[in-house]
Amino acid sequence: MSNTQVLCIGEVLFDCLADQPGKSLGEVDSWTAYPGGAPANVACALVKLGTPAGFIGCVGEDAPGDILVELFQENGVDVTGIQRHPKAPTRQVYVLRSLTGDREFAGFGNLDTGDFADTKLRLSQLPESLFQGVNFLVSGTLELAYPQSQEAIEKAVQLAKQNHVKVLVDVNWRPVFWPNPDLAPGVILKFLEQADFLKLSDEEAQWLFNTSDPSAIAQRLPHLQGVLVTAGEAGCSYDLAHNSGKLPAFSIDVVDTTGAGDSFVAGFIHQLCQQGIDALTDAETAKNVVIYASAVGAITAMKAGAIAAQPTATEVEEFLRLH
C-alpha cells in the first residue's frame, strides 16, 4: 500500500479480558480474547479515521497469528511489515478489570514474557522501502525489553530519520513485559533521544521525570516538538510547539479503558497528517488537535475491546457536536 502515511511498530497480541469485573486472578471463571497491542491499536484506529497506516511486528505461525493478520487486512492496515515466527507463539495477555472499567495486567499464563513471537522481530527482515513517503513512525517501548526486537526497533527509528519521518513514542510502561524492570528507565530515556513527539500517562511521567507537567518534560527534552500527558478521567495536558494547556476529560460512561490511550494517539496523529505539524504553532489549533484526540479516546472507552470500539471520523465529529 504505497499511500501509507503512518507506520506503527511493536506488539500485536490478544488481550484476554476477565469476564467478571472486580474479581482477582484466582476468582475469574472465564476470559474473552480481544485483539490488542498498543501499536496495533493505533494502526487500526488511524485507518478507521481515514489515515492510511501500516504495521510492523512479529506473530507466531499459529491460529492467533492468522486471526490478527486477517484482522489487519480486513481493517485495511498494510501488513507488508508483519513477520511470522515458526516456533514462538503469538502473545496473549491476561487482563483483570475493576468495577469502574480500569484494567490490571495479570501475566501471560504459563509462558515467560520473552517466549513470545513479538520479541523475535528481525532486523534483517525490515522492509526499508516501507519508510519512503511516510509521515510518522509510532512506537511503544515494550519491545525495547528484549535484545532482538530492541535492535529491530532502533533500526526502524534510524530508517525513519533517514527518510525524514517524524517519530512519536508512547511510553506504555508495563513492568510485567520486562524481564528486568530496573533497566527500563535508562533504556527508555535513551530511546526518547530519537523521538519528535512523546505521549505518556501522568503515572508514567512521574515515574520517568518526577513530574506530570508536559512543559517541564519538554524543557528536559528540548529536541521534542510535543509532549502529551494523559490522566484518564482527570483529562490531559500538553506542550505542543511551545503552546501548552490542560483539558478536562469528556463526561462519558466508561465501559473499558483498554486501548483508549492508543486511540488518543491515533486521533492526534490523524490530525497532524491532515493539518501538518506547523499548524501546532497556532495555540487554538494545538488545543483543538488535543480535543479531537481526547474525543477519539473517550469514544473507545465507551465500548469493550480496543479495536472493536474505535470510532470513524464521522462518529468523532458527531461526538464533538454533542459534547
Side-chain angles (χ1 to χ4, degrees):
M1 191 165 72
S2 59
N3 65 336
T4 296
Q5 288 182 266
V6 184
L7 291 174
C8 301
I9 188 166
E11 71 280 0
V12 59
L13 46 83
F14 277 102
D15 282 318
C16 300
L17 263 61
D19 290 331
Q20 295 81 35
K23 301 272 185 169
S24 68
L25 182 60
E27 295 172 324
V28 175
D29 296 325
S30 59
W31 309 79
T32 299
Y34 292 98
N41 293 341
V42 175
C44 290
L46 279 164
V47 172
K48 286 190 183 181
L49 291 170
T51 293
F55 179 76
I56 300 171
C58 186
V59 295
E61 288 182 358
D62 51 17
D66 292 341
I67 293 168
L68 291 171
V69 173
E70 286 170 17
L71 177 76
F72 279 135
Q73 291 171 321
E74 286 166 10
N75 277 280
V77 175
D78 184 3
V79 297
T80 308
I82 295 185
Q83 303 174 13
R84 306 296 296 262
H85 197 278
K87 294 177 183 173
T90 302
R91 188 183 293 271
Q92 299 191 58
V93 186
Y94 291 88
V95 184
L96 299 173
R97 290 192 293 156
S98 74
L99 293 171
T100 56
D102 288 317
R103 65 211 192 283
E104 178 192 342
F105 291 86
F108 308 101
N110 300 321
L111 294 172
D112 289 331
T113 184
D115 292 340
F116 295 95
D118 59 279
T119 71
K120 321 290 184 193
L121 186 65
R122 284 163 292 224
L123 168 74
S124 60
Q125 291 185 22
L126 283 180
E128 297 192 12
S129 60
L130 267 185
F131 293 81
Q132 294 165 9
V134 169
N135 295 334
F136 287 92
L137 174 70
V138 176
S139 175
T141 66
L142 298 185
E143 299 305 324
L144 300 176
Y146 318 99
Q148 189 169 337
S149 54
Q150 178 185 4
E151 191 180 37
I153 283 181
E154 287 175 347
K155 174 63 174 177
V157 170
Q158 187 184 332
L159 288 169
K161 294 293 177 185
Q162 288 170 7
N163 287 278
H164 310 291
V165 176
K166 296 294 183 181
V167 177
L168 181 145
V169 175
D170 180 357
V171 170
N172 197 31
W173 166 237
R174 303 281 182 264
V176 70
F177 276 77
W178 288 75
N180 187 348
D182 292 340
L183 296 177
V187 173
I188 291 171
L189 286 169
K190 188 171 190 315
F191 186 61
L192 293 183
E193 292 172 8
Q194 302 300 313
D196 299 291
F197 292 89
L198 171 62
K199 182 264 175 188
L200 63 179
S201 70
D202 55 339
E203 292 170 347
E204 291 163 348
Q206 288 287 352
W207 171 67
L208 265 183
F209 299 103
N210 295 314
T211 177
S212 57
D213 177 2
S215 298
I217 296 169
Q219 286 180 339
R220 290 267 301 274
L221 302 172
H223 65 282
L224 290 175
Q225 293 179 260
V227 179
L228 301 153
V229 178
T230 56
E233 61 187 19
C236 66
S237 50
Y238 62 90
D239 187 292
L240 299 168
H242 306 299
N243 291 309
S244 58
K246 187 170 171 38
L247 296 169
F250 287 102
S251 180
I252 56 165
D253 292 325
V254 174
V255 173
D256 175 20
T257 59
T258 307
D262 308 325
S263 289
F264 176 95
V265 170
F268 176 73
I269 296 279
H270 172 67
Q271 285 293 299
L272 293 195
C273 285
Q274 292 213 313
Q275 302 195 48
I277 291 172
D278 290 344
L280 296 175
T281 57
D282 177 74
E284 194 62 24
T285 302
K287 178 183 174 182
N288 288 332
V289 165
V290 181
I291 290 172
Y292 188 95
S294 299
V296 182
I299 296 166
T300 302
M302 292 165 68
K303 288 191 256 179
I307 293 171
Q310 293 164 346
T312 63
T314 305
E315 288 167 335
V316 179
E317 285 159 20
E318 179 65 11
F319 178 90
L320 286 169
R321 191 180 64 78
L322 294 172
H323 290 79

